[in-house]
Short mmCIF file of all heavy atoms in Angstrom, two decimals:
data_model
loop_
_atom_site.label_atom_id
_atom_site.label_comp_id
_atom_site.label_asym_id
_atom_site.label_seq_id
_atom_site.Cartn_x
_atom_site.Cartn_y
_atom_site.Cartn_z
N MET A 372 43.19 149.45 75.42
CA MET A 372 44.29 150.14 74.60
C MET A 372 45.58 150.38 75.39
O MET A 372 45.51 150.82 76.58
CB MET A 372 43.71 151.49 74.05
CG MET A 372 44.59 152.21 73.22
SD MET A 372 43.91 153.73 72.67
CE MET A 372 44.66 154.01 71.13
N GLU A 373 46.63 150.04 74.89
CA GLU A 373 48.03 150.15 75.55
C GLU A 373 48.38 151.66 75.51
O GLU A 373 48.32 152.26 74.44
CB GLU A 373 49.00 149.38 74.79
CG GLU A 373 50.40 149.37 75.35
CD GLU A 373 51.42 148.50 74.53
OE1 GLU A 373 50.98 147.57 73.93
OE2 GLU A 373 52.52 148.85 74.59
N GLN A 374 48.87 152.15 76.61
CA GLN A 374 49.37 153.46 76.69
C GLN A 374 50.87 153.54 76.33
O GLN A 374 51.64 152.85 76.81
CB GLN A 374 49.15 154.16 78.05
CG GLN A 374 49.69 155.56 78.15
CD GLN A 374 49.32 156.26 79.44
OE1 GLN A 374 48.35 155.98 80.01
NE2 GLN A 374 50.01 157.30 79.70
N LEU A 375 51.16 154.49 75.42
CA LEU A 375 52.59 154.65 75.07
C LEU A 375 53.32 155.53 76.05
O LEU A 375 52.70 156.44 76.51
CB LEU A 375 52.72 155.28 73.67
CG LEU A 375 51.97 154.47 72.53
CD1 LEU A 375 51.93 155.32 71.24
CD2 LEU A 375 52.65 153.08 72.28
N LYS A 376 54.54 155.12 76.44
CA LYS A 376 55.20 155.85 77.38
C LYS A 376 55.49 157.30 76.95
O LYS A 376 55.82 157.64 75.80
CB LYS A 376 56.60 155.21 77.57
CG LYS A 376 57.45 155.98 78.61
CD LYS A 376 58.78 155.21 78.89
CE LYS A 376 59.59 156.04 79.85
NZ LYS A 376 60.26 155.32 80.77
N GLY A 377 55.13 158.25 77.85
CA GLY A 377 55.28 159.70 77.53
C GLY A 377 54.14 160.32 76.74
O GLY A 377 54.24 161.47 76.31
N LYS A 378 53.13 159.44 76.37
CA LYS A 378 52.06 159.99 75.55
C LYS A 378 50.77 160.06 76.33
O LYS A 378 50.47 159.10 77.15
CB LYS A 378 51.81 159.05 74.32
CG LYS A 378 53.02 158.80 73.49
CD LYS A 378 53.52 160.08 72.82
CE LYS A 378 54.72 159.83 71.90
NZ LYS A 378 55.29 160.88 71.37
N TYR A 379 50.06 161.13 76.23
CA TYR A 379 48.84 161.34 77.19
C TYR A 379 47.69 161.90 76.28
O TYR A 379 47.97 162.52 75.16
CB TYR A 379 49.13 162.31 78.25
CG TYR A 379 50.25 161.90 79.11
CD1 TYR A 379 51.53 162.40 78.79
CD2 TYR A 379 50.02 161.08 80.21
CE1 TYR A 379 52.62 162.01 79.63
CE2 TYR A 379 51.13 160.73 80.97
CZ TYR A 379 52.46 161.13 80.67
OH TYR A 379 53.51 160.80 81.46
N VAL A 380 46.53 161.73 76.68
CA VAL A 380 45.34 162.33 76.10
C VAL A 380 44.47 162.91 77.21
O VAL A 380 44.23 162.14 78.13
CB VAL A 380 44.59 161.27 75.27
CG1 VAL A 380 43.23 161.88 74.72
CG2 VAL A 380 45.40 160.74 74.10
N TRP A 381 44.04 164.12 77.06
CA TRP A 381 43.06 164.71 78.05
C TRP A 381 42.03 165.34 77.27
O TRP A 381 42.17 165.68 76.11
CB TRP A 381 43.78 165.76 78.92
CG TRP A 381 44.90 165.21 79.78
CD1 TRP A 381 44.77 164.40 80.83
CD2 TRP A 381 46.35 165.42 79.62
NE1 TRP A 381 45.97 164.19 81.45
CE2 TRP A 381 47.04 164.74 80.58
CE3 TRP A 381 47.05 166.01 78.57
CZ2 TRP A 381 48.33 164.71 80.77
CZ3 TRP A 381 48.41 166.05 78.67
CH2 TRP A 381 49.09 165.37 79.80
N THR A 382 40.90 165.73 77.91
CA THR A 382 39.92 166.52 77.33
C THR A 382 39.76 167.78 78.20
O THR A 382 40.15 167.78 79.45
CB THR A 382 38.57 165.78 77.33
OG1 THR A 382 38.11 165.53 78.65
CG2 THR A 382 38.58 164.52 76.45
N ALA A 383 39.26 168.91 77.78
CA ALA A 383 38.98 170.07 78.30
C ALA A 383 37.67 170.72 77.80
O ALA A 383 37.41 170.53 76.67
CB ALA A 383 40.10 171.08 78.20
N THR A 384 36.90 171.31 78.74
CA THR A 384 35.72 171.93 78.27
C THR A 384 35.77 173.39 78.23
O THR A 384 36.51 173.98 79.07
CB THR A 384 34.51 171.57 79.26
OG1 THR A 384 34.43 170.14 79.40
CG2 THR A 384 33.32 172.23 78.91
N VAL A 385 35.38 174.03 77.15
CA VAL A 385 35.41 175.44 77.01
C VAL A 385 34.25 176.06 77.77
O VAL A 385 33.09 175.77 77.42
CB VAL A 385 35.42 175.85 75.53
CG1 VAL A 385 35.55 177.42 75.35
CG2 VAL A 385 36.58 175.25 74.85
N GLY A 386 34.58 177.02 78.66
CA GLY A 386 33.47 177.62 79.40
C GLY A 386 32.83 178.81 78.69
O GLY A 386 33.32 179.13 77.51
N GLU A 387 31.87 179.49 79.25
CA GLU A 387 31.14 180.55 78.62
C GLU A 387 32.05 181.66 78.26
O GLU A 387 31.77 182.47 77.36
CB GLU A 387 30.04 180.93 79.47
CG GLU A 387 28.89 180.05 79.71
CD GLU A 387 27.77 180.52 80.61
OE1 GLU A 387 27.71 181.72 80.81
OE2 GLU A 387 27.05 179.64 81.15
N LYS A 388 33.10 181.89 79.00
CA LYS A 388 34.02 183.01 78.71
C LYS A 388 35.08 182.49 77.75
O LYS A 388 36.06 183.30 77.59
CB LYS A 388 34.66 183.57 79.98
CG LYS A 388 33.61 184.21 80.91
CD LYS A 388 34.23 184.76 82.21
CE LYS A 388 33.24 185.34 83.07
NZ LYS A 388 33.89 185.89 84.34
N GLY A 389 35.08 181.42 77.18
CA GLY A 389 36.04 180.88 76.21
C GLY A 389 37.33 180.32 76.97
O GLY A 389 38.32 180.11 76.34
N GLN A 390 37.38 180.04 78.20
CA GLN A 390 38.40 179.58 78.94
C GLN A 390 38.27 178.15 79.08
O GLN A 390 37.25 177.49 79.12
CB GLN A 390 38.38 180.17 80.38
CG GLN A 390 38.47 181.65 80.39
CD GLN A 390 38.21 182.28 81.85
OE1 GLN A 390 37.37 181.85 82.48
NE2 GLN A 390 38.98 183.27 82.22
N ILE A 391 39.46 177.47 79.09
CA ILE A 391 39.64 175.98 79.29
C ILE A 391 40.41 175.76 80.61
O ILE A 391 41.27 176.64 81.05
CB ILE A 391 40.21 175.26 78.22
CG1 ILE A 391 41.76 175.71 77.95
CG2 ILE A 391 39.48 175.44 76.89
CD1 ILE A 391 42.52 174.84 77.04
N VAL A 392 40.16 174.66 81.18
CA VAL A 392 40.89 174.22 82.43
C VAL A 392 41.79 173.13 81.99
O VAL A 392 41.38 172.19 81.39
CB VAL A 392 40.00 173.75 83.53
CG1 VAL A 392 40.77 173.26 84.72
CG2 VAL A 392 39.09 174.89 83.98
N ILE A 393 43.11 173.37 82.28
CA ILE A 393 44.15 172.33 81.88
C ILE A 393 44.14 171.33 83.02
O ILE A 393 44.21 171.63 84.12
CB ILE A 393 45.48 172.96 81.70
CG1 ILE A 393 45.50 173.95 80.56
CG2 ILE A 393 46.59 171.85 81.42
CD1 ILE A 393 46.74 174.88 80.51
N PRO A 394 43.94 170.02 82.62
CA PRO A 394 43.81 169.01 83.64
C PRO A 394 45.04 168.99 84.63
O PRO A 394 46.14 169.25 84.20
CB PRO A 394 43.75 167.68 82.88
CG PRO A 394 43.11 168.14 81.57
CD PRO A 394 43.74 169.47 81.25
N LYS A 395 44.78 168.64 85.85
CA LYS A 395 45.77 168.72 86.86
C LYS A 395 46.90 167.86 86.56
O LYS A 395 48.06 168.26 86.72
CB LYS A 395 45.17 168.16 88.22
CG LYS A 395 46.18 168.24 89.41
CD LYS A 395 45.53 167.76 90.71
CE LYS A 395 46.67 167.77 91.75
NZ LYS A 395 46.15 167.15 92.98
N GLN A 396 46.80 166.67 86.06
CA GLN A 396 47.90 165.80 85.67
C GLN A 396 48.72 166.44 84.55
O GLN A 396 49.97 166.42 84.70
CB GLN A 396 47.46 164.46 85.17
CG GLN A 396 48.48 163.47 84.82
CD GLN A 396 48.02 162.17 84.28
OE1 GLN A 396 47.00 162.14 83.52
NE2 GLN A 396 48.73 161.05 84.53
N ALA A 397 48.11 167.09 83.61
CA ALA A 397 48.86 167.75 82.58
C ALA A 397 49.73 168.95 83.15
O ALA A 397 50.77 169.17 82.85
CB ALA A 397 47.98 168.31 81.47
N ARG A 398 49.04 169.67 84.06
CA ARG A 398 49.76 170.77 84.70
C ARG A 398 50.96 170.31 85.48
O ARG A 398 52.08 170.83 85.40
CB ARG A 398 48.82 171.60 85.59
CG ARG A 398 47.74 172.32 84.89
CD ARG A 398 47.03 173.30 85.77
NE ARG A 398 46.57 172.86 87.06
CZ ARG A 398 45.45 172.22 87.39
NH1 ARG A 398 44.49 172.08 86.45
NH2 ARG A 398 45.23 171.84 88.61
N GLU A 399 50.87 169.22 86.23
CA GLU A 399 51.91 168.64 87.02
C GLU A 399 53.08 168.10 86.16
O GLU A 399 54.18 168.41 86.32
CB GLU A 399 51.43 167.60 87.92
CG GLU A 399 50.49 168.03 89.06
CD GLU A 399 49.85 166.87 89.80
OE1 GLU A 399 49.94 165.77 89.32
OE2 GLU A 399 49.39 167.20 90.83
N ILE A 400 52.71 167.35 85.08
CA ILE A 400 53.75 166.87 84.14
C ILE A 400 54.44 167.96 83.48
O ILE A 400 55.70 167.74 83.30
CB ILE A 400 53.02 165.86 83.11
CG1 ILE A 400 52.53 164.65 83.79
CG2 ILE A 400 54.00 165.53 82.03
CD1 ILE A 400 51.62 163.78 82.95
N PHE A 401 53.83 169.01 83.01
CA PHE A 401 54.49 170.03 82.35
C PHE A 401 54.82 171.20 83.03
O PHE A 401 55.41 172.17 82.61
CB PHE A 401 53.66 170.40 81.09
CG PHE A 401 53.52 169.34 80.07
CD1 PHE A 401 52.41 168.61 80.04
CD2 PHE A 401 54.55 169.01 79.28
CE1 PHE A 401 52.23 167.50 79.17
CE2 PHE A 401 54.57 167.93 78.29
CZ PHE A 401 53.28 167.16 78.29
N GLY A 402 54.78 171.17 84.44
CA GLY A 402 55.09 172.25 85.35
C GLY A 402 54.50 173.52 85.01
O GLY A 402 55.02 174.64 85.24
N ILE A 403 53.10 173.51 84.73
CA ILE A 403 52.30 174.71 84.50
C ILE A 403 51.77 175.18 85.78
O ILE A 403 51.13 174.53 86.50
CB ILE A 403 51.23 174.37 83.48
CG1 ILE A 403 51.84 173.97 82.08
CG2 ILE A 403 50.38 175.59 83.24
CD1 ILE A 403 50.74 173.35 81.17
N LYS A 404 52.16 176.56 86.02
CA LYS A 404 51.64 177.08 87.31
C LYS A 404 50.77 178.30 87.00
O LYS A 404 50.86 178.88 85.93
CB LYS A 404 52.90 177.66 88.08
CG LYS A 404 53.99 176.71 88.25
CD LYS A 404 53.79 175.93 89.62
CE LYS A 404 54.97 175.01 89.91
NZ LYS A 404 54.99 173.70 89.33
N PRO A 405 49.95 178.66 88.03
CA PRO A 405 49.10 179.84 87.78
C PRO A 405 50.00 181.12 87.41
O PRO A 405 51.01 181.31 87.94
CB PRO A 405 48.41 180.05 89.19
CG PRO A 405 48.41 178.75 89.80
CD PRO A 405 49.66 178.05 89.34
N GLY A 406 49.45 181.83 86.45
CA GLY A 406 50.15 182.98 85.90
C GLY A 406 51.15 182.77 84.82
O GLY A 406 51.67 183.68 84.20
N ASP A 407 51.35 181.47 84.56
CA ASP A 407 52.33 181.18 83.38
C ASP A 407 51.70 181.56 82.09
O ASP A 407 50.50 181.64 81.93
CB ASP A 407 52.52 179.68 83.28
CG ASP A 407 53.57 179.11 84.40
OD1 ASP A 407 54.16 179.97 85.00
OD2 ASP A 407 53.70 177.87 84.41
N THR A 408 52.48 181.93 81.12
CA THR A 408 52.09 182.27 79.78
C THR A 408 52.37 181.14 78.94
O THR A 408 53.48 180.60 78.89
CB THR A 408 52.75 183.51 79.32
OG1 THR A 408 52.54 184.64 80.08
CG2 THR A 408 52.34 183.84 77.82
N LEU A 409 51.33 180.65 78.20
CA LEU A 409 51.40 179.56 77.28
C LEU A 409 51.35 179.98 75.89
O LEU A 409 50.56 180.90 75.58
CB LEU A 409 50.41 178.47 77.53
CG LEU A 409 50.34 177.90 78.95
CD1 LEU A 409 49.13 176.92 79.10
CD2 LEU A 409 51.59 177.25 79.28
N LEU A 410 52.00 179.43 75.06
CA LEU A 410 52.01 179.65 73.57
C LEU A 410 51.01 178.69 72.91
O LEU A 410 51.14 177.55 73.13
CB LEU A 410 53.48 179.53 72.98
CG LEU A 410 53.65 179.76 71.48
CD1 LEU A 410 53.28 181.15 71.19
CD2 LEU A 410 55.05 179.35 71.11
N LEU A 411 50.04 179.25 72.17
CA LEU A 411 49.08 178.41 71.40
C LEU A 411 49.43 178.55 69.86
O LEU A 411 49.47 179.67 69.46
CB LEU A 411 47.66 178.84 71.63
CG LEU A 411 47.08 178.82 73.17
CD1 LEU A 411 45.80 179.39 73.30
CD2 LEU A 411 47.19 177.40 73.62
N LEU A 412 49.51 177.47 69.21
CA LEU A 412 49.81 177.36 67.88
C LEU A 412 48.59 176.93 67.15
O LEU A 412 48.05 175.79 67.65
CB LEU A 412 51.02 176.57 67.53
CG LEU A 412 52.36 176.98 68.18
CD1 LEU A 412 53.44 176.02 67.82
CD2 LEU A 412 52.74 178.42 67.80
N GLY A 413 48.07 177.51 66.09
CA GLY A 413 46.83 177.05 65.43
C GLY A 413 47.09 176.85 63.95
O GLY A 413 47.75 177.61 63.28
N ASP A 414 46.50 175.83 63.49
CA ASP A 414 46.46 175.40 62.05
C ASP A 414 45.07 175.00 61.74
O ASP A 414 44.61 173.99 62.40
CB ASP A 414 47.51 174.35 61.82
CG ASP A 414 47.57 173.95 60.29
OD1 ASP A 414 46.59 173.51 59.84
OD2 ASP A 414 48.68 174.05 59.81
N GLU A 415 44.41 175.65 60.77
CA GLU A 415 43.01 175.27 60.49
C GLU A 415 42.89 173.86 60.06
O GLU A 415 41.77 173.23 60.20
CB GLU A 415 42.45 176.29 59.40
CG GLU A 415 42.31 177.65 59.94
CD GLU A 415 41.64 178.56 58.96
OE1 GLU A 415 41.28 178.11 57.79
OE2 GLU A 415 41.43 179.78 59.21
N GLN A 416 43.90 173.30 59.45
CA GLN A 416 43.77 171.85 59.03
C GLN A 416 44.20 170.91 60.20
O GLN A 416 43.50 169.87 60.16
CB GLN A 416 44.82 171.62 57.91
CG GLN A 416 44.65 172.57 56.67
CD GLN A 416 43.25 172.24 56.00
OE1 GLN A 416 42.93 171.11 55.86
NE2 GLN A 416 42.48 173.30 55.58
N ARG A 417 45.19 171.18 60.96
CA ARG A 417 45.64 170.36 62.03
C ARG A 417 45.27 170.56 63.39
O ARG A 417 45.41 169.72 64.31
CB ARG A 417 47.18 170.26 61.93
CG ARG A 417 47.71 169.77 60.47
CD ARG A 417 49.19 169.97 60.39
NE ARG A 417 49.77 168.87 61.23
CZ ARG A 417 51.13 168.89 61.44
NH1 ARG A 417 51.93 169.77 61.00
NH2 ARG A 417 51.56 167.87 62.18
N GLY A 418 44.67 171.71 63.69
CA GLY A 418 44.15 171.97 65.03
C GLY A 418 45.01 172.99 65.85
O GLY A 418 45.91 173.66 65.33
N ILE A 419 44.84 172.91 67.12
CA ILE A 419 45.59 173.65 68.07
C ILE A 419 46.68 172.91 68.86
O ILE A 419 46.37 171.84 69.28
CB ILE A 419 44.63 174.36 69.10
CG1 ILE A 419 43.70 175.29 68.37
CG2 ILE A 419 45.41 175.06 70.18
CD1 ILE A 419 42.58 175.87 69.28
N ALA A 420 47.83 173.46 69.00
CA ALA A 420 48.87 172.81 69.80
C ALA A 420 49.37 173.70 70.86
O ALA A 420 49.35 175.00 70.64
CB ALA A 420 50.01 172.44 68.85
N ILE A 421 49.72 173.14 72.01
CA ILE A 421 50.19 173.97 73.09
C ILE A 421 51.64 173.38 73.34
O ILE A 421 51.77 172.40 74.12
CB ILE A 421 49.30 173.95 74.37
CG1 ILE A 421 47.96 174.41 74.08
CG2 ILE A 421 49.97 174.74 75.49
CD1 ILE A 421 47.02 174.15 75.27
N PRO A 422 52.68 173.91 72.77
CA PRO A 422 54.05 173.40 73.01
C PRO A 422 54.43 173.63 74.42
O PRO A 422 53.98 174.42 75.20
CB PRO A 422 54.82 174.21 72.05
CG PRO A 422 54.08 175.38 71.57
CD PRO A 422 52.65 175.12 71.94
N PRO A 423 55.59 172.85 74.95
CA PRO A 423 56.14 173.07 76.19
C PRO A 423 56.41 174.58 76.43
O PRO A 423 56.79 175.31 75.47
CB PRO A 423 57.37 172.16 76.16
CG PRO A 423 57.05 171.17 75.14
CD PRO A 423 56.30 171.87 74.10
N LYS A 424 56.44 174.93 77.77
CA LYS A 424 56.65 176.29 78.20
C LYS A 424 57.89 176.95 77.65
O LYS A 424 57.90 178.03 77.20
CB LYS A 424 56.72 176.45 79.74
CG LYS A 424 55.36 176.18 80.33
CD LYS A 424 55.34 176.52 81.87
CE LYS A 424 56.56 176.25 82.62
NZ LYS A 424 56.54 176.47 84.02
N GLY A 425 59.07 176.23 77.59
CA GLY A 425 60.27 176.71 77.12
C GLY A 425 60.32 177.05 75.63
O GLY A 425 61.08 177.79 75.15
N THR A 426 59.38 176.56 74.91
CA THR A 426 59.27 176.80 73.49
C THR A 426 59.17 178.21 73.15
O THR A 426 59.73 178.76 72.12
CB THR A 426 58.14 176.02 72.82
OG1 THR A 426 58.24 174.71 73.16
CG2 THR A 426 58.06 176.16 71.37
N PHE A 427 58.45 179.05 74.01
CA PHE A 427 58.25 180.51 73.76
C PHE A 427 59.58 181.16 73.70
O PHE A 427 59.93 181.86 72.73
CB PHE A 427 57.35 181.00 74.89
CG PHE A 427 56.86 182.43 74.70
CD1 PHE A 427 55.89 182.66 73.66
CD2 PHE A 427 57.41 183.43 75.36
CE1 PHE A 427 55.48 184.00 73.42
CE2 PHE A 427 56.93 184.71 75.24
CZ PHE A 427 56.04 185.01 74.31
N THR A 428 60.40 180.94 74.78
CA THR A 428 61.71 181.59 74.90
C THR A 428 62.62 181.10 73.72
O THR A 428 63.34 181.81 73.18
CB THR A 428 62.34 181.20 76.27
OG1 THR A 428 61.44 181.63 77.27
CG2 THR A 428 63.69 181.86 76.48
N GLU A 429 62.53 179.79 73.55
CA GLU A 429 63.44 179.08 72.48
C GLU A 429 63.06 179.71 71.10
O GLU A 429 64.01 180.03 70.31
CB GLU A 429 63.29 177.63 72.42
CG GLU A 429 64.06 176.89 71.53
CD GLU A 429 63.88 175.38 71.64
OE1 GLU A 429 63.69 174.88 72.68
OE2 GLU A 429 63.79 174.76 70.50
N LEU A 430 61.77 179.85 70.78
CA LEU A 430 61.30 180.36 69.54
C LEU A 430 61.87 181.81 69.30
O LEU A 430 62.40 182.10 68.15
CB LEU A 430 59.75 180.38 69.49
CG LEU A 430 59.10 180.84 68.18
CD1 LEU A 430 59.44 180.11 66.96
CD2 LEU A 430 57.65 181.00 68.40
N PHE A 431 61.66 182.72 70.31
CA PHE A 431 62.14 184.00 70.14
C PHE A 431 63.71 184.12 70.13
O PHE A 431 64.25 184.92 69.41
CB PHE A 431 61.54 184.96 71.25
CG PHE A 431 60.06 185.34 70.89
CD1 PHE A 431 59.08 184.73 71.45
CD2 PHE A 431 59.88 186.41 69.98
CE1 PHE A 431 57.75 185.04 71.13
CE2 PHE A 431 58.66 186.69 69.55
CZ PHE A 431 57.51 186.08 70.13
N GLY A 432 64.31 183.19 70.82
CA GLY A 432 65.81 183.21 70.74
C GLY A 432 66.22 182.85 69.39
O GLY A 432 67.18 183.46 68.88
N GLN A 433 65.65 181.95 68.70
CA GLN A 433 66.01 181.55 67.37
C GLN A 433 65.59 182.69 66.32
O GLN A 433 66.35 182.94 65.42
CB GLN A 433 65.22 180.31 66.85
CG GLN A 433 65.81 179.03 67.71
CD GLN A 433 65.03 177.85 67.24
OE1 GLN A 433 64.20 177.84 66.35
NE2 GLN A 433 65.36 176.70 67.92
N ALA A 434 64.41 183.34 66.62
CA ALA A 434 63.99 184.42 65.69
C ALA A 434 64.96 185.54 65.68
O ALA A 434 65.15 186.22 64.72
CB ALA A 434 62.63 184.78 66.08
N PHE A 435 65.56 185.87 66.89
CA PHE A 435 66.45 187.00 66.93
C PHE A 435 67.93 186.63 66.98
O PHE A 435 68.74 187.47 67.10
CB PHE A 435 66.06 187.83 68.13
CG PHE A 435 64.69 188.45 68.06
CD1 PHE A 435 63.64 187.97 68.77
CD2 PHE A 435 64.50 189.48 67.16
CE1 PHE A 435 62.37 188.52 68.67
CE2 PHE A 435 63.15 190.01 66.95
CZ PHE A 435 62.19 189.54 67.88
N GLN A 436 68.21 185.37 66.73
CA GLN A 436 69.58 184.93 66.78
C GLN A 436 70.34 185.61 65.61
O GLN A 436 69.87 185.69 64.46
CB GLN A 436 69.65 183.47 66.55
CG GLN A 436 71.01 182.86 66.76
CD GLN A 436 70.86 181.27 66.65
OE1 GLN A 436 70.16 180.76 65.97
NE2 GLN A 436 71.67 180.65 67.52
N GLY A 437 71.47 186.08 65.83
CA GLY A 437 72.31 186.75 64.80
C GLY A 437 72.04 188.23 64.66
O GLY A 437 72.70 188.91 63.89
N ARG A 438 71.12 188.74 65.42
CA ARG A 438 70.78 190.19 65.34
C ARG A 438 71.87 190.90 65.99
O ARG A 438 72.52 190.39 67.03
CB ARG A 438 69.44 190.43 65.97
CG ARG A 438 68.28 189.83 65.42
CD ARG A 438 67.83 190.54 64.18
NE ARG A 438 66.60 189.90 63.57
CZ ARG A 438 65.77 190.52 62.90
NH1 ARG A 438 65.91 191.80 62.57
NH2 ARG A 438 64.79 189.84 62.37
N ASP A 439 72.29 192.03 65.46
CA ASP A 439 73.32 192.83 66.06
C ASP A 439 72.87 193.88 67.09
O ASP A 439 73.61 194.74 67.55
CB ASP A 439 74.14 193.60 64.90
CG ASP A 439 73.31 194.54 64.17
OD1 ASP A 439 72.14 194.76 64.46
OD2 ASP A 439 73.75 194.97 63.09
N GLY A 440 71.57 193.80 67.44
CA GLY A 440 71.08 194.67 68.51
C GLY A 440 70.65 196.05 68.10
O GLY A 440 70.17 196.82 68.92
N ASP A 441 70.70 196.32 66.76
CA ASP A 441 70.28 197.70 66.29
C ASP A 441 68.84 197.66 65.87
O ASP A 441 68.40 198.72 65.30
CB ASP A 441 71.21 198.14 65.18
CG ASP A 441 71.08 197.42 63.95
OD1 ASP A 441 70.28 196.40 63.82
OD2 ASP A 441 71.81 197.73 62.94
N GLY A 442 68.10 196.60 66.09
CA GLY A 442 66.68 196.60 65.75
C GLY A 442 66.46 196.23 64.18
O GLY A 442 65.30 196.16 63.80
N ALA A 443 67.47 196.00 63.55
CA ALA A 443 67.38 195.79 62.03
C ALA A 443 67.18 194.33 61.83
O ALA A 443 67.55 193.39 62.58
CB ALA A 443 68.61 196.21 61.35
#
């Protein structure tokens, strides 16, 4: 099977405590370091997605864009 540029597939095993280990190659490609916070998105029909690290900041930036700072 031909690999598409920039596309990857990995597997992870869920441990007894519900933890998964992100494969080393994935951590290196996406710059994931110990202590980083990752955003998990879930959809019962489509599954779980882990968007790139900057998505968390970008998402909240968009959510609060245009706010005048008074909490409203």
Side-chain angles (χ1 to χ4, degrees):
M372 179 181 210
E373 178 183 335
Q374 179 169 339
L375 300 173
K376 183 177 174 138
K378 306 293 182 186
Y379 305 91
V380 174
W381 298 286
T382 62
T384 302
V385 179
E387 291 181 23
K388 295 182 181 181
Q390 299 171 318
I391 63 168
V392 174
I393 299 171
K395 182 180 179 186
Q396 183 185 31
R398 294 190 316 266
E399 290 173 346
I400 289 170
F401 293 103
I403 299 169
K404 307 273 188 276
D407 283 351
T408 299
L409 301 177
L410 179 64
L411 300 173
L412 304 176
D414 180 301
E415 290 183 3
Q416 302 294 319
R417 299 175 71 191
I419 295 173
I421 305 173
K424 288 189 328 184
T426 303
F427 189 73
T428 304
E429 185 179 317
L430 178 65
F431 280 99
Q433 290 177 6
F435 295 108
Q436 189 174 36
R438 299 279 180 157
D439 59 7
D441 67 0

